[in-house]
Amino acid sequence: TDRHGNVRLYYWRKGRPKFRLRAEPGSVAFAAEVEAARTASDAAAPKSAREIAPASFRALCLDYFASANFRMLDKKTQRQNRLLLEDISRSKTPRASQERGTLPYALIQPRHVEEIRDEKLELPGAANNRVKALRRLFKWAQSAKKPGAKNPAAEVAYLKMPGDGFETWTASHIERFEETHPVGSQARLCLALLLYTGVRRSDVVKLGPQHEREGWLHFTETKGSRKAGAVPKKRDIPIIEPLREVLDASEAIIGPFAYLVTERGVPFTAN
């Protein structure tokens, strides 16, 4: 929808020109128009052919995405790194306004990495994630013996994060929370699971009655378990008396395969 409120339809494939579709959607003419656009798109030269020129930053990223090194990362890390590197590829240099993906990767210097980092200066976490993604990319390029490969990102420091991080709860904080949320409530159940097991949030949402055996919780950590070639970390945690009391008092709200479930009875995501 454009700024005047008009709906415009296009046939578009990534890296190819866009073709305007003007016929009524669902009509025979529209179907013919789509087919004609598909044929024209197949015949057209890629719009961003320069981005995949040999030895360009974009070409290096594509080789990295296809590598075993990248595919051995867990799916979440793959997605994060792909989005970061593609965003950097599409970003433009401050002086020449040229897409960075078109530039030769061997000519990228630490000062260029600093420019890429500082474009997210107002978001230090996002800025540092850019540096991390570049460090990982160029480290792989060196191990893969790519011509002229070095790791300019390794020489660039992370930005200092503002503040002192999250406040650590004291015993008085916990007491106030427990006074507000009685045993039998989901908030109290969540607190007890985190407090008396010490597990990550990615694990607490997966813990359930099926993990209980003879007074212990037996489970495999989520972090790193999806990474190809990784050895799963199995954990055994005792169910101490305060946790047992909360679990027993929360039977009405506990799910069959997860202690913590939504109103629809399904486990929460880690987020």
Side-chain angles (χ1 to χ4, degrees):
T1 304
D2 65 19
R3 61 193 178 91
H4 301 294
N6 300 312
V7 176
R8 298 171 179 265
L9 299 178
Y10 295 90
Y11 180 89
W12 178 73
R13 285 155 53 197
K14 190 172 182 179
R16 302 276 174 166
K18 288 196 296 186
F19 297 90
R20 179 81 182 272
L21 304 174
R22 300 179 182 277
E24 180 69 21
S27 66
V28 173
F30 183 78
E33 210 174 35
V34 169
E35 190 57 39
R38 181 183 293 114
T39 302
S41 179
D42 289 339
K47 189 176 181 180
S48 29
R50 290 185 307 157
E51 291 187 4
I52 52 173
S56 66
F57 179 79
R58 178 61 177 162
L60 184 69
C61 290
L62 293 176
D63 287 347
Y64 175 52
F65 298 152
S67 70
N69 186 290
F70 181 79
R71 288 184 283 116
M72 286 177 66
L73 300 172
D74 65 64
K75 296 298 183 185
K76 181 180 178 182
T77 305
Q78 284 186 38
R79 182 175 182 277
Q80 288 174 338
N81 278 267
R82 185 186 292 274
L83 291 175
L84 285 165
L85 292 173
E86 288 180 345
D87 183 52
I88 293 169
S89 287
R90 290 190 298 269
S91 66
K92 294 185 177 181
T93 58
R95 285 172 290 280
S97 291
Q98 184 178 0
E99 286 194 7
R100 291 190 171 100
T102 67
L103 303 174
Y105 67 80
L107 298 184
I108 296 177
Q109 304 294 323
R111 63 185 176 88
H112 300 134
V113 177
E114 288 179 356
E115 286 178 354
I116 293 169
R117 178 199 66 188
D118 294 347
E119 286 176 354
K120 298 288 185 180
L121 203 57
E122 73 285 359
L123 299 169
N128 291 339
N129 284 339
R130 282 185 153 198
V131 177
K132 289 177 187 176
L134 289 170
R135 284 185 181 182
R136 185 175 275 146
L137 170 69
F138 286 117
K139 183 178 179 181
W140 165 80
Q142 287 179 308
S143 65
K145 295 183 168 51
K146 292 289 183 179
K150 53 188 181 299
N151 195 342
E155 302 176 39
V156 176
Y158 295 133
L159 296 178
K160 185 177 180 181
M161 299 292 288
D164 300 318
F166 293 107
E167 181 182 2
T168 302
W169 278 21
T170 63
S172 63
H173 287 119
I174 295 170
E175 288 172 3
R176 285 172 57 194
F177 189 91
E178 290 179 339
E179 288 171 2
T180 305
H181 302 284
V183 172
S185 66
Q186 189 177 66
R188 185 63 171 271
L189 172 61
C190 186
L191 173 72
L193 286 167
L194 291 166
L195 182 63
Y196 298 124
T197 66
V199 300
R200 298 181 178 90
R201 64 176 182 170
S202 57
D203 290 321
V204 78
V205 295
K206 293 186 176 180
L207 288 179
Q210 73 275 17
H211 295 114
E212 292 186 31
R213 289 198 304 276
E214 299 178 354
W216 288 68
L217 288 168
H218 305 273
F219 66 97
T220 301
E221 283 189 359
T222 301
K223 186 176 176 67
S225 63
R226 294 187 295 269
K227 186 176 179 180
V231 178
K233 295 180 180 178
K234 297 186 180 299
R235 298 297 184 210
D236 306 303
I237 298 177
I239 303 174
I240 62 174
E241 190 58 33
L243 176 57
R244 182 74 272 165
E245 290 176 2
V246 174
L247 289 173
D248 290 345
S250 305
E251 287 184 355
I253 60 173
I254 285 175
F257 301 109
Y259 294 127
L260 299 171
V261 293
T262 68
E263 293 177 352
R264 294 183 293 112
V266 297
F268 286 95
T269 64
N271 288 337

